[in-house]
């Protein structure tokens, strides 16, 4: 399986200039390739193959006066930039033809020098790890890396990133073996929310840290100062960087908290069942800021790839499943309830329910039913950034619940 490890990099002033050249050359090659394919499409010509495109925008361009400076950076950076363009076109064509699942992917767009995030990718022949702990990058030099942990194996590629806060990162991709954990034979259902970030099937309630809300007062003051700076001035550029750094701190704290919580849940349970939420739809309501502050999608993705890495079972329960309407004791469907109703009593058996705890139990029962019915399918996770795992027994469910919304039979306790 493939894992990605991110480390902070501290380049010297001269190395920053060389990295800026590499970022700019990679952007120009990407834009030149995209422009060539767009012009060929408008002229009714066939799609330009990758090899022909590389010869045109890299090999031949280096011999011209307008693009002679492309020779100042490593050719690996330029070739990988064209591969990114090829991947963007492939994703677009797969989305248009319906072969790609999920939200639609648009056609590739031109990159701008004003983009707040710049990156280049190098394969094994463009970088190396030195014995002194430094990262060698072709035509840049040895970069100082802050190693928070050691790499399990030799990396196959590295991506150098400059984020909006002015920080440099090195993201390594390594091939490792699955780390299957031994643990208790327990499973849990998770109900995600805003009052409580997560409520587990056993009644454990995890409060939402609300990182953005806590930093909102300071961000408001900093953004007000930014709006008063003259556009194009150095003071505005510094103020923009300070605002970006504050947002980065909020995101880092949220990500760290998600990692710790998801790791604890995966280690304590053999199977994890989570209800699918429509974050995009909720992000268009008056609760949008709180929804984005919770970052449910990021947390669920962490649960998914960590389950794949450690040999756990992961199941997504369809969003149509009425987890908040069903009594988790007798299975009676008591109808929809407004959000302000946090406690209710079953009309059939008279059991008093906490809304979130009851939903977590129903998610658990529905997840058990899906697994027992054999509707969970093994998923090979892709080596995309931050998502790991391949060929593992972790399971992901795309199928929904029963059409009538009735609760699970398998795993339901006898009243």
């Amino acid at each position: 399986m493939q894992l990605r490890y991110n480390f902070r990099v501290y380049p010297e002033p001269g190395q920053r200039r060389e990295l800026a050249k590499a970022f700019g050359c990679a952007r120009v090659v990407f834009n030149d390739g995209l422009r060539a394919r767009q012009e060929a499409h408008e002229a009714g010509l066939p799609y330009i193959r990758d090899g022909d495109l590389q010869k045109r925008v890299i090999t031949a361009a280096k011999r011209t006066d307008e693009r002679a400076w492309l020779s100042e950076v490593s050719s690996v950076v330029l070739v990988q930039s064209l591969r990114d363009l090829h991947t963007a076109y492939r994703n677009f064509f797969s989305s248009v033809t319906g072969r790609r699942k999920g939200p639609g992917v648009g056609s590739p767009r031109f990159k701008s020098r004003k983009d707040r995030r710049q990156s280049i990718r190098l394969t094994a022949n463009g970088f190396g790890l030195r014995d002194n702990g430094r990262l060698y990058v072709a035509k840049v030099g040895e970069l100082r890396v802050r190693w928070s942990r050691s790499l399990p194996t030799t990396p196959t590629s590295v991506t150098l990133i400059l984020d909006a806060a002015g920080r440099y990162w090195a993201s390594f991709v390594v091939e490792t073996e699955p780390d299957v954990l031994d643990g208790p034979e327990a499973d849990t259902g998770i109900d995600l929310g805003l009052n409580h970030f997560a409520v587990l099937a056993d009644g454990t309630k995890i409060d939402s840290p609300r990182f953005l809300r806590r930093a909102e007062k300071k961000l408001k003051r900093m953004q007000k100062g930014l709006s008063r700076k003259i556009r194009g001035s150095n003071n505005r550029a510094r103020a923009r960087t300070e605002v970006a750094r504050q947002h980065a701190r909020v995101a880092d704290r949220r990500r760290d908290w998600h990692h710790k919580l998801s790791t604890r849940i995966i280690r304590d349970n053999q199977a994890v069942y989570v209800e699918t939420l429509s974050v995009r739809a909720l992000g268009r309501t008056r609760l949008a800021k709180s929804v984005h502050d919770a970052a449910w999608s990021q947390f669920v993705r962490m649960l998914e790839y960590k389950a794949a890495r450690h040999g756990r079972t992961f199941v997504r329960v369809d969003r149509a499943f009425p987890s908040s309407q069903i009594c988790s004791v007798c299975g009676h469907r008591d109808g929809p309830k407004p959000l302000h109703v946090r406690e209710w009593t079953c009309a059939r058996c008279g059991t008093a329910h906490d809304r979130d705890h009851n939903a977590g139990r129903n998610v658990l029962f529905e997840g058990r039913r899906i697994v027992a019915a054999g509707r969970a399918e093994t998923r090979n996770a892709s080596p995309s950034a931050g998502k790991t795992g391949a060929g593992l027994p972790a399971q992901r469910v795309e199928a929904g619940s029963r059409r009538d919304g009735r609760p699970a039979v398998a795993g339901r306790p006898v009243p």
Side-chain angles (χ1 to χ4, degrees):
M1 61 180 297
Q2 288 185 326
L3 297 178
R4 186 176 290 277
Y5 288 78
N6 297 328
F7 301 94
R8 186 79 179 270
V9 178
Y10 298 90
E12 298 176 357
Q15 294 172 338
R16 293 187 181 185
R17 289 192 292 269
E18 296 301 323
L19 286 174
K21 289 182 182 179
F23 294 144
C25 291
R27 181 182 66 250
V28 168
V29 168
F30 183 93
N31 291 342
D32 287 348
L34 177 57
R35 187 178 299 107
R37 281 180 170 163
Q38 287 183 348
E39 292 175 353
H41 176 71
E42 293 173 358
L45 300 176
Y47 183 80
I48 305 177
R49 296 183 300 177
D50 294 342
D52 297 335
L53 186 65
Q54 180 176 331
K55 293 178 182 178
R56 180 188 301 187
V57 302
I58 297 180
T59 307
K62 288 182 179 179
R63 301 192 182 101
T64 64
D65 295 336
E66 296 179 352
R67 295 286 190 266
W69 35 265
L70 291 177
S71 302
E72 298 179 8
V73 303
S74 172
S75 61
V76 178
V77 173
L78 308 181
V79 173
Q80 294 303 315
S81 183
L82 280 186
R83 289 188 178 180
D84 291 341
L85 177 62
H86 169 67
T87 302
Y89 266 108
R90 183 177 57 192
N91 293 337
F92 169 62
F93 294 144
S94 299
S95 179
V96 170
T97 57
R99 294 193 303 269
R100 180 184 176 91
K101 297 181 180 180
V105 178
S107 60
R109 296 182 296 179
F110 291 99
K111 294 184 178 181
S112 172
R113 67 172 66 183
K114 296 182 180 180
D115 291 341
R116 298 307 179 188
R117 184 184 185 276
Q118 304 285 343
S119 65
I120 56 173
R121 189 173 69 255
L122 301 101
T123 51
N125 54 347
F127 76 98
L129 297 178
R130 301 306 192 201
D131 295 335
N132 57 3
R134 300 214 169 194
L135 169 64
Y136 170 76
V137 177
K139 294 194 176 183
V140 175
E142 295 184 355
L143 302 176
R144 185 166 62 91
V145 183
R146 184 176 180 181
W147 299 101
S148 56
R149 52 184 172 174
S150 59
L151 294 174
T153 58
T154 302
T156 57
S157 67
V158 63
T159 302
L160 296 175
I161 303 169
L162 172 63
D163 63 12
R167 303 177 300 179
Y168 291 84
W169 300 89
S171 181
F172 298 93
V173 175
V174 299
E175 292 279 353
T176 62
E177 296 296 327
D179 182 18
V180 180
L181 296 176
D182 294 330
E185 296 296 329
D187 55 358
T188 187
I190 303 177
D191 177 70
L192 300 174
L194 295 178
N195 290 336
H196 297 283
F197 177 80
V199 179
L200 306 186
D202 61 359
T204 302
K205 294 185 177 182
I206 302 170
D207 293 332
S208 179
R210 295 183 174 89
F211 293 104
L212 180 60
R213 293 291 187 182
R214 286 159 48 185
E216 201 169 20
K217 184 176 180 181
K218 185 175 181 178
L219 278 170
K220 181 179 179 180
R221 184 176 67 252
M222 297 174 67
Q223 289 170 339
K224 184 182 292 186
L226 172 63
S227 66
R228 293 172 177 171
K229 301 295 188 296
I230 300 175
R231 291 185 178 275
S233 65
N234 292 332
N235 285 338
R236 185 179 178 86
R238 284 193 291 268
R240 185 207 61 78
T241 303
E242 288 300 322
V243 172
R245 287 176 179 172
Q246 183 61 24
H247 276 290
R249 294 189 190 101
V250 173
D252 290 344
R253 292 165 185 164
R254 182 190 299 115
R255 189 182 305 108
D256 178 71
W257 187 79
H258 281 172
H259 270 298
K260 292 177 179 177
L261 177 60
S262 58
T263 299
R264 177 162 59 88
I265 292 176
I266 291 297
R267 288 184 180 275
D268 293 345
N269 298 277
Q270 287 287 341
V272 178
Y273 313 111
V274 182
E275 184 177 15
T276 304
L277 296 174
S278 179
V279 178
R280 175 175 294 183
L282 291 172
R284 294 194 293 263
T285 66
R286 61 184 179 85
L287 301 174
K289 182 177 289 188
S290 297
V291 169
H292 293 307
D293 190 14
W296 295 320
S297 297
Q298 175 178 263
F299 174 71
V300 172
R301 285 195 301 267
M302 289 181 181
L303 286 175
E304 184 175 5
Y305 88 77
K306 290 179 181 180
R309 179 184 179 185
H310 298 301
R312 305 304 203 200
T313 298
F314 179 82
V315 174
R316 291 177 185 262
V317 175
D318 191 85
R319 70 185 63 172
F321 177 69
S323 60
S324 299
Q325 304 179 24
I326 300 173
C327 175
S328 60
V329 176
C330 68
H332 173 64
R333 185 167 179 174
D334 211 11
K337 302 167 185 62
L339 288 177
H340 70 270
V341 177
R342 310 313 302 175
E343 296 181 356
W344 58 281
T345 302
C346 177
R348 174 183 294 178
C349 65
T351 304
H353 291 293
D354 177 272
R355 180 193 183 105
D356 298 330
H357 182 203
N358 178 75
R361 285 170 56 85
N362 283 328
V363 170
L364 171 64
F365 300 148
E366 177 68 3
R368 286 175 177 173
R369 185 189 67 82
I370 294 174
V371 173
R375 298 172 64 184
E377 56 184 19
T378 302
R379 180 196 184 210
N380 295 331
S382 62
S384 57
K387 306 171 189 63
T388 61
L392 297 173
Q395 300 179 10
R396 178 189 182 189
V397 171
E398 298 293 348
S401 60
R402 295 170 54 172
R403 289 184 178 272
D404 58 2
R406 294 178 60 187
V409 175
R412 176 170 297 282
V414 178

